[in-house]
Amino acid sequence: MKKMIAALCAACLLLVRPVSVQAAAPPDGIEARAALLMDAQTGQVLFDKNGSESLEPASITKILTAMLALEQLDPARPISASAGAVDIPSWATSAHLKAGEALTREQAVYALLLPSGNDAANVIAEAVSGSQQAFAQLMNERAAALGAQNTHFTNASGLPDEEHRTTALDMALITRGALQTPGFLAYFGAESYRMAGNGLSAEREFHNTHRMLRTDYPEYDRTVIGGKTGYTDSAGYTLVTAAQREGRTLICVVLNSDRSYQDTAALLDYGFQNFIPYTYQFETPSVRLPLMDGEREAGTALFAHQAAVPLFIREGTDAGQITVEYGLPQNPRQSLEGTVRLLLPAQEGEIPPSLTLPLQIQSIELFSPARPALKEEQSQKGTERHLPAWSLLMAAAAGGLAVRAVEVFRIRRRARRKLRRSPQGRMD
């Protein structure tokens, strides 16, 4: 069994070996522990450094909190700040809310995102779900629905907790979803906000902690349309930034970086200056994949995907070297959706830029008895390698398809060319 697994791993490595091309190299000197650059429209990953590593996010957590506030709260209904919600550590950033203070949804979201108010995060959590714990559960459910499969949040603010973790990829997916939420960008990109006084508090003015949105900081970038900062001792400096140039929007996430703004500026310049639009054309809008039972082919599954895929490739890239990777549904009890992933040619040692799209299952055909699997087949589209799953249980039900369980099976095919701290110096 160990030999079989080792052989499969070796085959996978051969299939995705980086290809040297005459194209722009990714930026050197990115100091972040993890960094990821994503095209907001397509979801294509343009740069990836440890993008799937589990790390603490600190206050960039509040992007998801703000998104849920806009989705769940009635803008006309007042929100009351409880004594427990406004009781936060003295070292944490605050909007200086007071127990019993009534806020509108607008005020609460600005107090959350601009000064990175941990008290505002707690107030929103209680207003949406009734308790911090229930809101954390909602956050995790919403993150998973956005494709963030490696995120587990325990609070609405991002204050330190060893169990409160995410990845750079997941934060990009969450931010992409937030940008599609009506009204979110007005908060995410605001430089300042003046909050009217009330019976308990005087008028307050909030300023965004993201320096690329602040005209009074040297890091200011007029193409940046939104962003969120984060910092704790355990997470280090974290930063999420959205920028728009010539109609394209990119999302940049850096985690645990002492040079978060320099890393972000370099990655945004790289993404905007070196990628051009390209349409990848599949020969057919569907693909039939083998279903393996050990070393025997037990049947095939027909999947459908879009025939023409808009993406971005680096100038100088040979589009004929784009690699296609298919994946069967990982949890068929919940979804029969697989994936098709396009991997662009990469520099030596670089994680390939990639775009992942849904793959909808259409039908399953079972062989009786199962026939021996072909290790390699030549087709007009290139070379296919059938990599067996370790087990397979499935059934077809009358009137529809029901797959009881299908372990992860992946097939890769080489397609032929057709084609820091916040400005206040506090943990936020």
Side-chain angles (χ1 to χ4, degrees):
M1 184 65 178
K2 292 182 178 179
K3 291 182 178 179
M4 180 183 295
I5 295 174
L8 291 176
C9 293
C12 292
L13 290 173
L14 287 172
L15 287 167
V16 296
R17 183 178 59 219
V19 180
S20 295
V21 293
Q22 295 300 315
D28 292 327
I30 300 300
E31 293 193 4
R33 173 68 186 179
L36 190 130
L37 185 67
M38 175 181 286
D39 177 75
Q41 180 178 359
T42 64
Q44 180 182 346
V45 175
L46 306 179
F47 176 89
D48 183 344
K49 177 185 177 183
N50 301 324
S52 296
E53 182 176 353
S54 178
L55 296 167
E56 291 184 58
S59 277
I60 59 175
T61 299
K62 293 173 179 137
I63 293 172
L64 182 54
T65 302
M67 178 183 179
L68 288 171
L70 296 176
E71 290 179 341
Q72 301 287 330
L73 295 178
D74 183 346
R77 184 176 180 179
I79 303 168
S80 180
S82 72
V86 300
D87 183 15
I88 61 172
S90 60
W91 44 260
T93 52
S94 171
H96 304 291
L97 303 179
K98 296 181 179 178
E101 186 170 355
L103 300 86
T104 64
R105 185 186 72 173
E106 174 184 296
Q107 291 172 332
V109 176
Y110 276 118
L112 171 79
L113 290 181
L114 271 63
S116 199
N118 292 289
D119 46 357
N122 293 340
V123 169
I124 288 172
E126 292 182 357
V128 171
S129 299
S131 71
Q132 306 295 327
Q133 295 78 11
F135 187 74
Q137 181 177 347
L138 178 63
M139 294 176 79
N140 293 325
E141 292 171 356
R142 192 68 180 93
L146 293 169
Q149 300 298 319
N150 297 298
T151 289
H152 179 260
F153 288 156
T154 61
N155 60 66
S157 62
L159 287 178
D161 185 327
E162 290 183 358
E163 300 298 319
H164 189 95
R165 306 184 76 82
T166 188
T167 68
L169 173 59
D170 280 6
M171 280 309 309
L173 291 170
I174 290 169
T175 303
R176 184 180 181 226
L179 289 173
Q180 296 169 0
T181 302
F184 176 81
L185 190 57
Y187 299 93
F188 198 47
E191 182 177 2
S192 62
Y193 175 76
R194 190 177 297 276
M195 182 171 162
N198 52 53
L200 293 175
S201 297
E203 181 181 84
R204 283 155 289 186
E205 186 169 4
F206 301 138
H207 297 276
N208 204 314
T209 57
H210 196 304
R211 296 183 178 189
M212 298 178 86
L213 287 164
R214 296 274 296 270
T215 54
D216 55 339
Y217 277 92
E219 293 88 352
Y220 173 70
D221 183 339
R222 63 181 180 82
T223 70
V224 171
I225 60 173
K228 184 71 194 78
T229 62
Y231 175 83
T232 65
D233 287 341
S234 52
Y237 295 101
T238 63
L239 194 67
V240 173
T241 309
Q244 189 174 82
R245 301 178 192 176
E246 298 181 352
R248 286 182 59 203
T249 301
L250 298 184
I251 298 165
C252 182
V253 179
V254 296
L255 302 179
N256 196 350
S257 174
D258 287 334
R259 291 169 47 87
S260 56
Y261 290 105
Q262 293 90 332
D263 286 349
T264 296
L267 288 171
L268 289 175
D269 286 345
Y270 166 70
F272 283 119
Q273 295 172 8
N274 293 290
F275 286 82
I276 59 175
Y278 178 80
T279 300
Y280 183 87
Q281 188 75 42
F282 288 95
E283 290 188 0
T284 63
S286 63
V287 61
R288 188 172 291 278
L289 302 180
L291 299 174
M292 313 304 295
D293 183 8
E295 295 186 355
R296 303 184 71 84
E297 188 174 351
T300 62
L302 181 67
F303 290 85
H305 56 70
Q306 62 191 86
V309 180
L311 48 78
F312 293 90
I313 62 174
R314 284 186 291 225
E315 292 187 275
T317 294
D318 179 4
Q321 296 298 312
I322 293 176
T323 299
V324 181
E325 173 185 295
Y326 292 100
L328 292 184
Q330 295 190 28
N331 191 343
R333 292 179 183 272
Q334 297 181 2
S335 172
L336 294 179
E337 186 177 277
T339 58
V340 56
R341 187 177 182 220
L342 303 178
L343 297 127
L344 277 63
Q347 305 286 347
E348 186 175 355
E350 175 194 6
I351 298 176
S354 63
L355 174 62
T356 302
L357 300 168
L359 201 60
Q360 301 293 338
I361 192 167
Q362 302 294 302
S363 63
I364 280 183
E365 176 187 358
L366 298 180
F367 301 144
S368 182
R371 69 187 188 193
L374 298 178
K375 292 184 178 179
E376 192 171 287
E377 291 183 1
Q378 295 294 329
S379 71
Q380 63 170 347
K381 293 179 77 69
T383 298
E384 295 186 352
R385 293 181 187 266
H386 297 174
L387 303 181
W390 289 287
S391 67
L392 176 66
L393 297 171
M394 60 187 184
L401 178 67
V403 178
R404 293 200 184 105
V406 182
E407 284 199 9
V408 179
F409 162 78
R410 298 169 102 186
I411 178 173
R412 295 176 172 88
R413 180 177 63 192
R414 175 64 53 82
R416 74 186 180 102
R417 185 175 184 181
K418 179 161 182 172
L419 332 153
R420 138 197 9 185
R421 292 183 185 263
S422 66
Q424 292 81 13
R426 311 183 75 182
M427 293 189 185
D428 64 348

